[in-house]
């Protein structure tokens, strides 16, 4: 089954404790990206990647890191999480020459 | 810079009627793609429809159609024969392209909450 998986689905952590949210897709897609969704703000792109070792900043990259060492994986790293990073995070992938983005189920992160 | 504007925070429609959700955009990219997504209360993001900036015809997918007016920079979503299950948040989004500075960045609007009344 074609899908994007994210782990964990829910995470409560404390300020400053490094964390990684994993994202994996099984569709051989080149384009992958991370979004955060906050009430009243819609989805905002954090980082995106057009292929292995090619990443670029979205609209809200501050406080986040990404890497794309393999085509299927695109982890999101928060080196020192802060409460303002409490949000719902989505990973997505697409064949960027086509249209549809496939979204993961979301990760709800709370930073205390 | 890319920008997507959805001016309707909330919309109401009677079951079986048609509804139009507005979306306007701004970009300097020579080509771009426009998307609509649905997010029900369960939280998942569901792709509805896609329109490329050079597509000659408006996109349609079942009960969904995209009213693309390039000169006016609008990409409104039309849902025909609304159903109760259409109640959800709807997001318009745009992906840029190389050449205009956006470099394939994807920008979402803030969304429109559609409520279908029985």
């Amino acid at each position: 089954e074609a899908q994007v998986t994210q782990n964990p689905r829910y995470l409560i952590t404390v300020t400053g404790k490094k964390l990684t949210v994993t994202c994996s897709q099984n569709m051989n897609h080149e384009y992958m990206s991370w979004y955060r969704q906050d009430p009243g703000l819609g989805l905002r792109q954090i980082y995106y990647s057009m292929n292995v070792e090619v990443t670029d900043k979205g609209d809200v990259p501050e406080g986040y890191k990404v890497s794309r060492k393999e085509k299927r994986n695109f982890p999101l790293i928060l080196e020192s999480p802060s409460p303002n990073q409490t949000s719902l995070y989505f990973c997505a992938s697409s064949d960027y020459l086509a249209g549809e983005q496939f979204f993961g189920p979301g990760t709800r992160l709370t930073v205390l | 810079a890319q920008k997507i504007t959805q001016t309707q925070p909330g919309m109401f429609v009677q079951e079986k009627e048609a509804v139009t959700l507005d979306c306007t955009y701004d970009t300097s990219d020579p080509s771009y793609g426009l998307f609509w997504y649905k997010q029900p209360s369960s939280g998942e993001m569901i792709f509805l429809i896609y329109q490329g900036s050079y597509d000659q015809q408006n996109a349609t997918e079942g009960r969904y159609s995209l009213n693309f007016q390039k000169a006016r920079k609008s990409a409104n979503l039309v849902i025909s024969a609304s159903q109760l299950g259409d109640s959800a948040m709807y997001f318009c989004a745009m992906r840029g392209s190389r050449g205009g500075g956006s470099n394939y960045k994807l920008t979402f609007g803030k969304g429109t909450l559609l409520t279908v009344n029985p």
Side-chain angles (χ1 to χ4, degrees):
Chain A
E1 180 191 354
Q3 60 182 349
V4 178
T5 57
Q6 294 179 229
N7 282 294
R9 294 288 313 279
Y10 302 90
L11 179 61
I12 301 174
T13 188
V14 295
T15 299
K17 185 177 181 182
K18 181 179 179 179
L19 66 92
T20 299
V21 184
T22 64
C23 173
S24 182
Q25 51 95 2
N26 63 1
M27 295 166 279
N28 202 37
H29 284 164
E30 283 139 340
Y31 189 98
M32 296 186 74
S33 57
W34 277 101
Y35 303 89
R36 60 178 290 173
Q37 183 177 18
D38 302 289
L41 297 178
L43 280 85
R44 294 177 292 168
Q45 195 174 40
I46 303 170
Y47 270 96
Y48 62 102
S49 169
M50 290 183 287
N51 216 324
V52 175
E53 303 292 1
V54 181
T55 62
D56 211 343
K57 296 177 181 178
D59 287 318
V60 287
E62 296 78 20
Y64 305 94
K65 286 176 58 178
V66 293
S67 68
R68 187 93 180 272
K69 293 184 169 57
E70 304 166 284
K71 197 171 187 179
R72 61 181 294 131
N73 296 324
F74 191 46
L76 179 69
I77 303 158
L78 285 72
E79 295 269 3
S80 183
S82 61
N84 64 12
Q85 292 179 298
T86 293
S87 187
L88 176 60
Y89 291 86
F90 286 101
C91 179
S93 76
S94 69
D95 175 353
Y96 71 84
L97 296 179
E100 179 179 356
Q101 275 204 110
F102 291 81
F103 279 80
T107 295
R108 188 164 291 282
L109 172 66
T110 301
V111 183
L112 302 174
Chain B
Q2 297 181 157
K3 186 176 181 180
I4 292 280
T5 303
Q6 294 181 253
T7 57
Q8 307 152 314
M11 287 282 285
F12 294 88
V13 66
Q14 288 297 123
E15 193 178 9
K16 299 180 185 176
E17 291 185 351
V19 63
T20 298
L21 306 183
D22 293 341
C23 173
T24 58
Y25 62 91
D26 193 20
T27 182
S28 56
D29 284 8
S31 67
Y32 47 89
L34 294 154
F35 307 76
W36 278 92
Y37 286 86
K38 172 184 178 181
Q39 187 179 40
S41 58
S42 52
E44 71 268 31
M45 294 292 290
I46 302 169
F47 168 78
L48 296 178
I49 199 166
Y50 168 80
Q51 177 87 40
S53 60
Y54 287 111
D55 293 343
Q56 295 296 317
Q57 292 190 317
N58 287 345
T60 60
E61 290 285 349
R63 294 186 299 111
Y64 304 107
S65 61
L66 199 153
N67 184 1
F68 180 47
Q69 297 187 45
K70 194 171 183 178
R72 299 179 65 180
K73 295 190 175 180
S74 74
N76 299 338
L77 177 71
V78 181
I79 305 174
S80 63
S82 298
Q83 302 172 356
L84 296 178
D86 293 335
S87 293
M89 183 71 84
Y90 289 80
F91 291 100
C92 180
M94 174 171 64
R95 180 160 62 204
S97 63
R98 199 178 299 276
S102 299
N103 204 29
Y104 300 111
K105 188 168 68 171
L106 199 142
T107 301
F108 280 76
K110 295 183 179 180
T112 296
L113 182 62
L114 177 66
T115 302
V116 180
N117 294 317

